[in-house]
Amino acid sequence: HISCNKFKFYMFRQPTIALRRVHRMPILRSRRRTLSNAAEVKGIPSWDTLASKLPKAAPKMALDTALEASKPHDLLDSSNGGNLVLFRDRNGWCPYSERVWLGLMVKRLEFDEVLVDNQGYKPNWYYECVGSGSTPAVKWEDGSFQTESLDILYELDRRYPSPDNDQNPQQPLLAPEHLKEDIKRIVRSFRDIFPRNTRPSSRSAFLFRGSGVLPREEFEATLDSTDALLGESKGPFFLGEKITLADIAWVPFLERYSIQLPLLYENLYPRDATRWPNLARFYDALESEFDVSGYYARVQGDLHSWAKVLASAGYGNAGHAPKLLEKYGNDENFHLVPSYAEERGGSEERRKILWRHYRELNTNNAERMCQTPREEAAAKIIRNHAAILKDATRYLSAEPEDADTALRAITSAIQNGLDPVDAARELRTALEGRREGQDDGVLLQVTSDLSKYLQSRICIPRDMGALPAFEYRRCLDAIICAA
């Protein structure tokens, strides 16, 4: 894994790039030069050529109310049999939204999405639909609305039952009748096991009390009890081999713990199989089982996003951001820390297989998806390149033609399927084939700066899933090092 700078915060928008400034990176300014036609650089395909490799069917786009605040009448109209609509936090930070999102994925239901800004403005029409204005919420096909994540998950089974009331592989039950009492018991256990009297936060939940981080002993007690509860079944999940509503209720919080606890305390790794073997098995199943491919391919957050959130003041820490361990990522146990998309991805062939599982479980949308996670990552840039360039040229003070050439070169390197190091070398060779009269190194510098910009602006899972993000980040890191 190539990494030139470990802590980057990803703020890439879907469907368009964010125009607000989160922070400025200490990047180099490109030297000015005589304008040239960027398209004349040999070996770098045009946007039309890059787009020709995308699926013919356009992807379903989530409506982002922060970018488009007008009322979506087509999604809310149920007069002729409306659609199932999920209203969730736009950043993918809300753990309760994550529960419902994951439940819909496990149920293999087709649904539309409306993204709501829980940290900013919410349009008035949303309050008209959902009185509290909270997320998650679901609009059912009959036009009625429902809130509260666990209530929605139970209602999914009632409205979309499996044939013969069994765990049908085409539409599994989240709470099979013979497991309902056990599911309720495990859900209730969450309140007893996770630390009490902690500050509420959707991004750093169950970590802070007052303005300080909880003592290490409380986290260890939580992990001990969770591991013991998981050990009651033959696993890997709470109630056996299949994921149920009980697991979905816990997943968002255990996901955050797996990344954020090692940032706070030395050698506190929830994935450590020598200390918490049942938890380690649970995490492994979440990131590899066929039935939960929607989690590791789309719903799951990642190391960089959760680390940045944890280091930011105001997210559940009363405005006092904790100091993260400086040695993070350098000790011998680093492989126990990250989520699937960071260090546990295995070979590229393995990631392609997992992505294929995701496509197979989303038969209604498979034709809209790219064949590989790397192609999916490139598609995000191709479909948003105009908005990216509009912001990037202001942010980097680069000439528009240079930025366009650099972005096409970067996108081609991500899309072409080469090893990231080989892709970076080919990109450098192409960029060195500049027209006579250009300042030496300018285009390479713009490409390096633009790669850093792309790294800094993406947010997982808001903009793409963990699998595409892994490929996206690997390739950009290689380009930064090569340039």
Side-chain angles (χ1 to χ4, degrees), residues 117-133:
D117 190 356
N118 283 346
Q119 286 73 48
Y121 169 77
K122 297 177 183 178
N124 290 333
W125 63 261
Y126 186 62
Y127 288 99
E128 295 172 1
C129 297
V130 180
S132 65

Side-chain angles (χ1 to χ4, degrees), residues 61-241:
M61 305 294 282
L63 173 67
D64 191 337
T65 59
L67 302 175
E68 177 52 65
S70 59
K71 190 172 184 178
H73 294 283
D74 55 332
L75 294 180
L76 300 178
D77 182 17
S78 299
S79 58
N80 296 315
N83 299 331
L84 176 62
V85 183
L86 168 64
F87 297 84
R88 64 176 177 86
D89 166 39
R90 72 189 302 263
N91 292 303
W93 289 343
C94 172
Y96 307 100
S97 292
E98 182 175 339
R99 282 176 170 177
V100 178
W101 193 11
L102 177 55
L104 289 164
M105 289 286 195
V106 173
K107 290 282 288 185
R108 307 177 197 180
L109 297 172
E110 188 169 7
F111 59 97
D112 292 303
E113 293 178 87
V114 176
L115 309 182
V116 180
D117 190 356
N118 283 346
Q119 286 73 48
Y121 169 77
K122 297 177 183 178
N124 290 333
W125 63 261
Y126 186 62
Y127 288 99
E128 295 172 1
C129 297
V130 180
S132 65
S134 62
T135 59
V138 162
K139 189 212 70 131
W140 302 109
E141 293 169 337
D142 61 9
S144 63
F145 285 80
Q146 187 167 6
T147 58
E148 300 298 332
S149 59
L150 295 178
D151 293 342
I152 293 172
L153 292 174
Y154 281 113
E155 185 67 9
L156 283 172
D157 274 356
R158 192 186 73 80
R159 289 179 179 259
Y160 306 99
S162 295
D164 302 322
N165 199 32
D166 197 5
Q167 286 282 72
N168 186 282
Q170 298 306 314
Q171 197 173 91
L173 287 172
L174 303 179
E177 193 64 35
H178 68 286
L179 294 177
K180 275 190 177 179
E181 291 306 314
D182 285 328
I183 288 172
K184 291 177 182 178
R185 173 179 59 85
I186 292 170
V187 171
R188 286 195 302 267
S189 297
F190 180 87
R191 299 178 182 177
D192 298 326
I193 290 176
F194 264 66
R196 299 189 177 210
N197 303 317
T198 51
R199 296 187 62 85
S201 171
S202 63
R203 298 160 295 281
S204 303
F206 301 102
L207 295 179
F208 301 97
R209 184 175 293 130
S211 61
V213 178
L214 270 63
R216 179 191 186 104
E217 292 74 20
E218 288 197 47
F219 293 131
E220 290 177 328
T222 295
L223 298 176
D224 287 342
S225 298
T226 303
D227 190 76
L229 187 60
L230 280 164
E232 292 177 6
S233 81
K234 295 181 179 179
F237 297 109
F238 279 109
L239 293 172
E241 297 295 325

Side-chain angles (χ1 to χ4, degrees), residues 304-320:
H304 296 278
S305 295
W306 291 132
K308 178 61 180 182
V309 164
L310 181 60
S312 301
Y315 291 155
N317 53 38
H320 303 283

Side-chain angles (χ1 to χ4, degrees), residues 403-451:
D404 184 89
T405 300
L407 187 59
R408 286 186 286 114
I410 290 167
T411 307
S412 178
I414 295 173
Q415 187 182 54
N416 65 18
L418 292 175
D419 175 88
V421 175
D422 293 336
R425 288 170 180 162
E426 284 204 0
L427 180 146
R428 184 182 180 99
T429 299
L431 292 175
E432 287 176 340
R434 299 183 303 278
R435 287 175 48 184
E436 184 178 353
Q438 291 179 335
D439 291 343
D440 183 49
V442 169
L443 206 48
L444 283 171
Q445 184 62 62
V446 172
T447 303
S448 177
D449 290 350
L450 185 57
S451 296

Side-chain angles (χ1 to χ4, degrees), residues 306-348:
W306 291 132
K308 178 61 180 182
V309 164
L310 181 60
S312 301
Y315 291 155
N317 53 38
H320 303 283
K323 183 177 180 180
L324 307 187
L325 295 181
E326 294 182 0
K327 62 176 286 186
Y328 177 68
N330 298 320
D331 68 329
E332 62 183 10
N333 289 321
F334 178 57
H335 68 284
L336 300 173
V337 180
S339 63
Y340 167 82
E342 297 298 329
E343 300 292 336
R344 302 171 65 82
S347 67
E348 184 169 1

